[in-house]
Amino acid sequence: MADAASQVLLGSGLTILSQPLMYVKVLIQVGYEPLPPTIGRNIFGRQVCQLPGLFCYAQHIASIDGKRGLFTGLTPRLCSGVLGTVVHGKVLQHYQECDKVETTREMMARSAATLITHPFHVITLRSMVQFIGRESKYCGLYDSIVTIYREEGILGFFAGLIPRLLGDIISLWLCNSLAYLVNTYALDSGVSTMSEMKSYSQAVTGFFASMLTYPFVLVSNLMAVNNCGLAGGCPPYSPIYTSWIDCWCMLQKEGNMSRGNSLFFRKVPFGKTYCCDLRMLI
């Protein structure tokens, strides 16, 4: 019980600290660029046309809504984190005695937590995206629940769920498979320093797995806000997608599959120009 409580407290603390970062990331994923690009230099010293990074973007939000505005959507995200931690632990404990592969148990626990917490995830994203059109449609947790149920029904709470689940599952299996291959074949277990390196292999492979499955995160977030009555979920920022596969194909066609993946050294993509009126790249 104490262990679960400590996990909840730690997770809540990290959620609060990372909230401004997620806020900026979500707005970039939608395609909102409130500040024009500037001429800067990349890590090799070459001149490039750069988009504002995390700190400039966050400063812009704070200049409009104050520093408190950087924590928009924090309440539903905290609810999602606490509930997810509890569900994940309960499901993992339930399957602890079952004769199943460890990765399979973890997959079931993660999937259950994602399924249960996704409505809060949708509310979090929509409360952030309404910054673009300065709407106040998704302000309180209760009002947001009522609004989604009245306009979209139960299915509205699970918008973008499928790509999010697929991304989590693929990332988990990819991470554990890569870690197994590295630990088994790339590292010599007979050397003491190699045994220490094995403890870091899971984190490294997890990073690469998350990079490879990032398009699922992007598509899931875009589908969660698509056609929900907010300016950020409608044209010109976002087409009205018929399905998450349609969203995936559209992003791939436009070369936007990694949009929002980097918050620093954001170079203007080749062939794109900045539109001051729309505050986006076209």
Side-chain angles (χ1 to χ4, degrees):
M1 188 70 179
D3 185 49
S6 62
Q7 287 183 359
V8 169
L9 289 174
L10 178 61
S12 299
L14 292 174
T15 297
I16 294 171
L17 291 175
S18 65
Q19 183 67 13
L21 186 148
M22 182 185 176
Y23 194 5
V24 171
K25 193 180 190 73
V26 168
L27 292 179
I28 294 175
Q29 287 177 336
V30 174
Y32 183 62
E33 297 291 350
L35 301 172
T38 57
I39 300 299
R41 295 185 180 276
N42 59 15
I43 57 176
F44 300 106
R46 295 178 58 184
Q47 279 195 347
V48 292
C49 194
Q50 291 182 336
L51 290 165
L54 169 65
F55 299 112
C56 290
Y57 210 123
Q59 189 176 16
H60 172 74
I61 295 173
S63 68
I64 296 176
D65 290 339
K67 293 182 179 179
R68 186 177 179 181
L70 291 170
F71 296 89
T72 298
L74 179 60
T75 300
R77 191 173 175 223
L78 281 173
C79 293
S80 175
V82 172
L83 186 59
T85 301
V86 173
V87 172
H88 180 275
K90 292 290 184 183
V91 174
L92 208 59
Q93 186 178 10
H94 175 74
Y95 286 104
Q96 200 71 41
E97 298 177 357
C98 298
D99 188 19
K100 292 182 180 294
V101 180
E102 183 180 352
T103 305
T104 303
R105 293 198 300 267
E106 180 64 23
M107 180 188 69
M108 291 179 173
R110 283 196 191 183
S111 298
T114 299
L115 182 64
I116 296 297
T117 62
H118 195 74
F120 294 103
H121 182 66
V122 171
I123 295 172
T124 299
L125 295 175
R126 294 186 181 185
S127 63
M128 292 175 172
V129 169
Q130 65 184 2
F131 173 84
I132 298 173
R134 307 305 297 162
E135 298 104 338
S136 57
K137 190 176 180 180
Y138 299 94
C139 285
L141 182 60
Y142 176 77
D143 289 340
S144 299
I145 293 173
V146 172
T147 299
I148 294 175
Y149 182 75
R150 184 179 62 244
E151 296 184 357
E152 303 171 57
I154 294 295
L155 291 179
F157 293 103
F158 298 97
L161 174 63
I162 294 177
R164 188 182 178 202
L165 273 175
L166 287 174
D168 283 347
I169 293 171
I170 294 173
S171 177
L172 174 64
W173 282 94
L174 191 60
C175 171
N176 288 359
S177 297
L178 288 173
Y180 173 78
L181 290 174
V182 170
N183 292 339
T184 305
Y185 300 104
L187 300 180
D188 184 5
S189 59
V191 184
S192 58
T193 55
M194 291 297 104
S195 62
E196 295 177 4
M197 291 178 63
K198 286 183 179 181
S199 62
Y200 299 103
S201 64
Q202 192 78 18
V204 174
T205 54
F207 172 76
F208 283 109
S210 64
M211 291 285 289
L212 292 173
T213 56
Y214 176 77
F216 289 96
V217 177
L218 176 60
V219 171
S220 174
N221 288 353
L222 291 181
M223 290 304 298
V225 302
N226 190 243
N227 197 24
C228 65
L230 299 177
C234 300
Y237 294 102
S238 174
I240 304 301
Y241 302 115
T242 57
S243 66
W244 72 270
I245 297 177
D246 178 42
C247 177
W248 182 291
C249 294
M250 189 75 70
L251 290 172
Q252 194 170 44
K253 181 180 179 181
E254 296 172 350
N256 290 328
M257 293 300 285
S258 61
R259 188 171 65 193
N261 193 22
S262 174
L263 297 178
F264 301 98
F265 304 108
R266 300 175 57 229
K267 186 175 67 172
V268 175
F270 178 77
K272 298 281 187 179
T273 56
Y274 181 77
C275 179
C276 295
D277 294 333
L278 297 177
R279 295 189 174 186
M280 64 180 293
L281 296 175
I282 56 175

